Amino acid sequence: WTTIRLLQVTLHTPVHTCTKVLPSTGMRTRLSDSFQLILFMLIQQTAKSLQVAVLGSGVAGSSAARSLAERGIKVTVFEAGFGIGGRTSTRKTRDEFRYQFDHGAQYIGTPKTEHFQNTLHQWRSDGWVKEWSGSFLTAGERCEMTKQDDTKERYVGYPAMNSICRNLLHHENIRVKLQTRANASRGKQQWSLVDDKSKKDLGSFDWLISADRLSGDHYRRDLKDADIHDFTSDVRKIKNVKSLTAMVVFEKSLGLDIDGVDFTGDCVEYGSLGWAARDSSKPGRERDDGKECWVLQSNPSKAKELLKGKRKIGEIREMAKEVLVKDFLASIPHLSGDGDGNDPESSTAVPEVAMAMGHRWGAAFPIPTKKYTDMESQLISSENFAACGDYFGALPGRIEGAFLSGVSAADQLVDTIQQDDS
C-alpha cells in the first residue's frame, strides 16, 4: 500500500486505479513498468525545470536551442550582434531604401545527409526557405566563363537568410538577448553570466552551450573565467580563412543575365573577387524600384594578402568596399561578353553606384583539426558544458554541418540529464 500511495501521489492517479497494477500474477513486471513510468515523468519534470544558456544565434546555436525547447527545456540565447543569424545574418540599411544583403552564407546546397534533407524539406514546407534558381557561371582559368549545372540545388532563407535562425528561435521556451555578449563563470552548481560591457547580472543557468567558436579565444572574455580547458585549449588551435565582403547597390540593372559567379581561377581581370551574387534575384529580395543589390566576396588568397598588417576594423571595411567594388566594375565587360571594355561603342554602360559598404569576416571558414571532424559536438558533462558549430563533423563551414552539430549538442545534453536522473 505504501507503493500504491507513492504511485497515486506521483502519477496523480486514484487508488482504485493503482491497485489494478497489483495482481498476484506478474506483479513484479507491472511494478517495474510503473516505476519506469514514474522515472520517465520525473526526468521530464527535471528537463522542464532546467535553464540552458546558448552563446551565439547562428545555425548551430539556433538548432541546439530549438531542439532543447521542443523537449520542454527553457533556453536563453545570447547574441553579441545587432541581429540573429551569425554568418547567415542579413544586413539591412536603416534608411528609407531598406537595402538588403545576405553578406555571409550565400545559399544552402544539396543536402549530404538524410537528416538534413528531411529538415530542409520541412523548412521548405513551412516557408522558411525557397529555391534560388537562375543563371550561375564559373570564371575559371584563363578567364573562361562556363555555365554551371542547371540541376544544382540552391536554397536561401525566405524572405532573408536569417529567416532560418529567426524561425528556429521562435518558440515559447526560447528567449533571445541581442547586443549582449555574455561572460560565463562556473559556480558549484550553476553557470553565472554577466554582460561583457555593463557587467549586469544575466542570470544563472544549469548548462552552458557555446555555439560561437571564438568565445574560447584568448582575446575574448566569454569563457575566460569558465575553467574549461578541455574546450578552450584545443579550439584555439583551429585556423580560420578570412573573407572580405562588399555590398553594393546600382541605380539601375546591370543588364547581366547572371545571378551568381564563382571566380575560381587566377585571372587578373577579376582581381580579388571570389564570388559575386545579384542578391536582389533571390526569393523575397526583389525590388520594385529598378535598383540592383549585389554581394561581392573575396577569394581566400587575396583576402589574406589584403589584410596583412591591418588591424583597424574601420579601415578594413573601407578597403573591402573600395577594392571589391573596383574589381567588380572592371569585371563587368568580361561578364557581359564585351571583351576588355576598352571599346566605348561596344562596352556596357555601368549604372551609377547608389551606395556601397564593406565587411570583414574574421573567421569566415574554419580549418578544423581531425579531433573536431571526428565528432559532431563536444560535451564536458563534469562542467555541464557543450560546444557546437560548423567546425564539427564532416561538413565544416557548411550550414548543414552547423545544424547537425547543434542538434547533436542538444541530444548529448539531454542524454546526460537522463543518465544522471536514472
Side-chain angles (χ1 to χ4, degrees):
W1 282 102
T2 302
T3 302
I4 293 173
R5 181 58 181 160
L6 175 62
L7 287 170
Q8 176 198 5
V9 172
T10 307
L11 300 179
H12 306 290
T13 306
V15 172
H16 68 84
T17 304
C18 292
T19 58
K20 292 180 181 180
V21 303
L22 297 176
S24 56
T25 304
M27 183 174 65
R28 290 184 180 179
T29 301
R30 297 296 181 88
L31 277 171
S32 175
D33 291 343
S34 299
F35 278 115
Q36 286 182 22
L37 179 57
I38 294 172
L39 180 61
F40 173 77
M41 294 182 69
L42 290 174
I43 289 173
Q44 290 294 100
Q45 191 61 40
T46 299
K48 290 181 179 180
S49 66
L50 283 176
Q51 295 284 341
V52 177
V54 176
L55 306 183
S57 71
V59 173
S62 297
S63 60
R66 181 59 176 249
S67 185
L68 293 173
E70 290 180 344
R71 291 169 162 102
I73 297 174
K74 303 293 185 182
V75 184
T76 303
V77 178
F78 296 96
E79 169 58 52
F82 288 99
I84 289 169
R87 283 196 299 109
T88 60
S89 59
T90 300
R91 180 72 65 86
K92 292 183 179 180
T93 61
R94 300 180 183 180
D95 55 21
E96 69 272 24
F97 300 108
R98 302 296 289 169
Y99 299 125
Q100 176 176 314
F101 308 91
D102 295 336
H103 63 306
Q106 292 298 290
Y107 60 84
I108 301 172
T110 304
K112 305 295 184 183
T113 62
E114 183 178 359
H115 185 174
F116 190 67
Q117 184 178 34
N118 294 335
T119 298
L120 187 60
H121 177 76
Q122 186 61 54
W123 288 354
R124 293 185 69 187
S125 298
D126 293 339
W128 296 9
V129 301
K130 289 194 176 184
E131 187 169 8
W132 180 28
S133 57
S135 176
F136 299 91
L137 304 178
T138 297
E141 300 297 333
R142 297 184 299 278
C143 303
E144 294 180 354
M145 305 291 294
T146 57
K147 189 174 183 180
Q148 295 184 11
D149 187 355
D150 289 336
T151 63
K152 182 177 179 179
E153 298 175 77
R154 299 175 187 84
Y155 301 96
V156 296
Y158 180 83
M161 206 65 188
N162 67 356
S163 298
I164 297 171
C165 292
R166 189 173 295 279
N167 282 300
L168 284 171
L169 295 174
H170 184 67
H171 193 281
E172 61 181 358
N173 290 328
I174 299 176
R175 293 188 309 157
V176 179
K177 299 287 188 180
L178 296 176
Q179 300 181 59
T180 306
R181 188 181 299 286
N183 297 337
S185 60
R186 178 79 170 132
K188 290 183 178 181
Q189 298 294 330
Q190 292 185 307
W191 286 93
S192 296
L193 272 62
V194 297
D195 188 283
D196 181 60
K197 292 183 178 179
S198 68
K199 308 307 177 185
K200 178 184 177 181
D201 179 24
L202 298 174
S204 297
F205 300 86
D206 301 292
W207 280 80
L208 178 68
I209 298 179
S210 171
D212 177 4
R213 172 169 48 90
L214 298 181
S215 66
D217 217 326
H218 61 85
Y219 67 87
R220 292 264 291 266
R221 292 188 292 268
D222 309 40
L223 302 176
K224 182 179 180 181
D225 299 323
D227 195 24
I228 43 173
H229 300 295
D230 288 346
F231 170 68
T232 56
S233 60
D234 287 331
V235 80
R236 291 172 183 174
K237 298 175 184 177
I238 296 177
K239 295 182 179 180
N240 306 305
V241 175
K242 296 179 173 60
S243 179
L244 298 173
T245 298
M247 295 151 273
V248 57
V249 180
F250 293 96
E251 288 286 359
K252 298 179 181 179
S253 169
L254 293 179
L256 299 176
D257 185 22
I258 298 172
D259 297 299
V261 187
D262 267 316
F263 299 92
T264 60
D266 293 328
C267 182
V268 295
E269 279 80 356
Y270 302 129
S272 59
L273 295 171
W275 165 259
R278 187 160 60 93
D279 212 61
S280 47
S281 72
K282 295 179 179 179
R285 286 78 155 170
E286 304 90 347
R287 298 189 62 85
D288 57 10
D289 59 4
K291 296 179 181 180
E292 280 190 350
C293 297
W294 284 77
V295 170
L296 317 173
Q297 294 181 335
S298 63
N299 68 54
S301 60
K302 288 294 184 181
K304 184 177 180 179
E305 179 182 323
L306 290 168
L307 287 168
K308 189 174 182 180
K310 294 181 174 59
R311 295 288 184 270
K312 295 181 178 179
I313 189 62
E315 294 179 3
I316 291 174
R317 290 172 178 168
E318 189 66 21
M319 175 191 67
K321 179 187 74 174
E322 291 179 357
V323 172
L324 289 170
V325 171
K326 176 179 68 67
D327 289 346
F328 183 63
L329 291 174
S331 75
I332 290 177
H334 301 276
L335 296 175
S336 64
D338 288 342
D340 58 11
N342 291 326
D343 183 355
E345 295 184 0
S346 64
S347 295
T348 301
V350 179
E352 183 181 347
V353 173
M355 68 83 64
M357 54 185 170
H359 183 82
R360 181 205 65 178
W361 292 101
F365 301 101
I367 307 176
T369 60
K370 188 174 184 301
K371 171 182 177 177
Y372 292 100
T373 57
D374 285 345
M375 57 182 178
E376 286 193 333
S377 61
Q378 182 179 9
L379 184 107
I380 305 176
S381 58
S382 61
E383 301 296 335
N384 284 18
F385 174 83
C388 56
D390 66 351
Y391 58 102
F392 284 98
L395 301 169
R398 297 173 64 101
I399 291 176
E400 180 173 358
F403 171 82
L404 295 174
S405 180
V407 172
S408 171
D411 288 345
Q412 287 200 75
L413 189 156
V414 172
D415 288 346
T416 300
I417 293 170
Q418 292 178 346
Q419 291 171 12
D420 290 344
D421 286 343
S422 62

